[in-house]
Amino acid sequence: METSNHNDPIERIRETGMRVVRLMHEGACRYGLADEATVTLMTDEPFAAWEAEGVLPLREAHLMSPVTPTKVVAVGLNYRPHIEELGLDLPIEPVIFVKPSTSVIGPGVPIEIPPGVGRVDHEAELGVVIGRRTHRASPEEAAENVLGYVCGNDVTAREIQRVDGQWTRAKSFDTFCPLGPWVATDLDPSALLVEAYVNGELRQRANTREMLFHPFDLVSFVSGVMTLVPGDVILTGTPSGVGPIQPGDEVEIRVEGVGSLVNPVVAS
Ligand code: MG
């Protein structure tokens, strides 16, 4: 059936119900569409006029961060118990900050803890991936412009965050923003379990229905501040239970309906 959205690259991906991956293939960085067993390579970015081109087994794919955002906009306080554990008042509007593109890493890539930074914490988060240019969008328009969802880890140098009184340094170290393992495109973000495990032990667990601000409200709010472009990521806040990670640990972020993002921790 011919529709007005027939050639829209985002609509075409949604219709497949597949996940967007980025991978190294024959020495080049490529996008693909993954199901449980295979990756179909794409000729271009998922936001462009892509075509399907070749299939390989998913288990042979070397997955990278599924998108390369120009910016990651993170929400500081969005789950009530986490706000209480930090001893803060409930925010009237979302508290946002930016993690630089250079902090992004993919699945399996080590989180590097620099010398002398003190305690470093994991923060399990649902990440929203933007599929179209978004500027001053309503929540309904924002929902239309979302490509899908990733697992995110808003790694934070907690002592530096307290000392500085603002969050840029604490949140911006290289490797402090693991994203992946892929973008799940056929998902309602309103009631998903978000979990963190360290060395297999459960540390954080909450449901996105406990958020103060819904993901679409967050995209709308951020788009009123800065233009969001395809591949940008909104991290929607972390539940209670944040805790330290150290060299030798393995951190896993799980988001229901998305998957599992695992990163080892090393000293740098
Ligand atoms: Mg966070």
Coordinates of all heavy atoms in Angstrom, one line a residue, residues 74-76 97 123 125 154 156 171 237-238, ligand 1:
A74 N 21.4 14.4 29.0 CA 21.0 13.6 30.0 C 20.2 14.3 31.0 O 20.3 15.5 31.2 CB 22.3 13.0 30.7
V75 N 19.3 13.6 31.7 CA 18.4 14.2 32.7 C 18.9 13.7 34.0 O 19.1 12.6 34.3 CB 16.9 13.7 32.4 CG1 16.0 14.2 33.5 CG2 16.5 14.1 31.0
G76 N 19.0 14.7 34.9 CA 19.7 14.5 36.2 C 18.8 13.7 37.1 O 19.2 12.8 37.8
F97 N 21.7 18.1 31.4 CA 23.2 18.4 31.2 C 23.6 17.6 29.9 O 22.8 16.8 29.4 CB 24.0 18.0 32.4 CG 23.9 16.6 32.8 CD1 24.9 15.7 32.3 CD2 22.9 16.1 33.6 CE1 24.8 14.3 32.7 CE2 22.8 14.8 34.0 CZ 23.8 13.9 33.5
E123 N 25.2 4.4 36.3 CA 23.9 4.8 36.3 C 23.1 4.2 35.1 O 23.3 4.6 34.0 CB 23.8 6.4 36.2 CG 24.3 7.1 37.4 CD 24.0 8.6 37.4 OE1 23.3 9.1 36.5 OE2 24.3 9.3 38.4
E125 N 20.3 3.6 32.5 CA 19.3 4.5 32.0 C 18.7 4.0 30.6 O 19.4 3.4 29.8 CB 19.9 5.9 31.7 CG 20.6 6.4 33.0 CD 20.7 7.9 33.1 OE1 20.1 8.7 32.3 OE2 21.4 8.3 34.1
D154 N 25.2 6.2 32.3 CA 25.6 7.6 32.6 C 26.7 7.5 33.7 O 26.4 7.9 34.8 CB 24.4 8.4 33.0 CG 24.8 9.8 33.4 OD1 25.9 10.3 33.0 OD2 24.0 10.5 34.0
T156 N 29.5 8.3 36.1 CA 29.6 9.6 36.9 C 30.7 9.5 37.9 O 30.8 8.6 38.7 CB 28.3 9.9 37.6 OG1 27.2 9.9 36.6 CG2 28.4 11.2 38.3
K171 N 30.8 14.1 34.4 CA 30.0 13.3 33.5 C 30.7 13.1 32.2 O 30.2 12.4 31.3 CB 28.7 14.0 33.3 CG 27.8 14.1 34.5 CD 27.1 12.9 34.9 CE 26.0 13.1 35.9 NZ 25.3 11.9 36.2
G237 N 17.5 9.5 32.8 CA 17.6 9.5 34.3 C 17.8 8.1 34.8 O 17.5 7.1 34.2
T238 N 18.3 8.1 36.0 CA 18.7 6.7 36.6 C 17.8 6.5 37.8 O 17.5 7.4 38.6 CB 20.2 6.6 36.9 OG1 20.5 5.3 37.1 CG2 20.5 7.4 38.2
Ligands
MG1 MG 22.2 10.0 35.0

